Amino acid sequence: QVQLVESGGGLVQAGGSLRLSCVASGRTDNIYASAWFRQAPGKERTFVAAISSISGNSHYSDSVRDRFTISRDNNRHTVYLQMNNLRPDDTAVYYCAADDAYSSSKVYPADFRSWGQGTQVTVAS
């Protein structure tokens, strides 16, 4: 099994930046894809970004492309989400996810097996 723990959330003004971290433990050798999703109150969980542990290839949702960057440090079993130019509609709980295969078509929660507990990001206008 894989355990994921997110950190780095908080309150920020619109236009500001935050960096989220997700540390994996357990069967980390099974992680070939890592992703970030988010869920705003009363809404479904939606895809933000994902990255391959092997190639470093990544893909993003249209709403965050050019503002957010996903990266990983395999030695530290950590995935990051650098969020710049934050907007109030980025407010959500952000979840880290992991799976044993990467594909650019993976954009749904059901595509990922392991999940963290989430970290709150609040962007004030």
Side-chain angles (χ1 to χ4, degrees):
Q1 289 186 347
V2 173
Q3 293 79 44
L4 303 173
V5 178
E6 304 97 332
S7 63
L11 173 65
V12 64
Q13 295 293 315
S17 299
L18 281 175
R19 187 176 81 155
L20 306 182
S21 300
C22 172
V23 179
S25 60
R27 294 294 305 272
T28 57
D29 56 321
N30 286 345
I31 299 176
Y32 288 89
S34 299
W36 290 94
F37 285 74
R38 65 187 181 186
Q39 187 166 17
K43 296 188 177 180
E44 294 184 349
R45 192 170 299 190
T46 59
F47 174 77
V48 175
I51 189 167
S52 166
S53 301
I54 304 300
S55 66
N57 289 344
S58 59
H59 58 286
Y60 296 86
S61 69
D62 289 342
S63 63
V64 306
R65 189 175 290 115
D66 298 329
R67 297 188 300 125
F68 292 9
T69 302
I70 189 170
S71 61
R72 85 270 189 254
D73 182 337
N74 290 341
N75 291 330
R76 298 187 177 187
H77 308 299
T78 302
V79 176
Y80 303 98
L81 185 68
Q82 177 66 43
M83 305 185 294
N84 297 329
N85 193 20
L86 283 159
R87 309 183 306 217
D89 61 357
D90 293 317
T91 295
V93 177
Y94 283 70
Y95 295 91
C96 178
D99 200 57
D100 59 3
Y102 174 81
S103 168
S104 61
S105 63
K106 286 190 170 184
V107 296
Y108 300 103
D111 294 329
F112 293 85
R113 298 185 181 184
S114 302
W115 290 85
Q117 294 300 307
T119 185
Q120 176 70 45
V121 172
T122 303
V123 184
S125 58

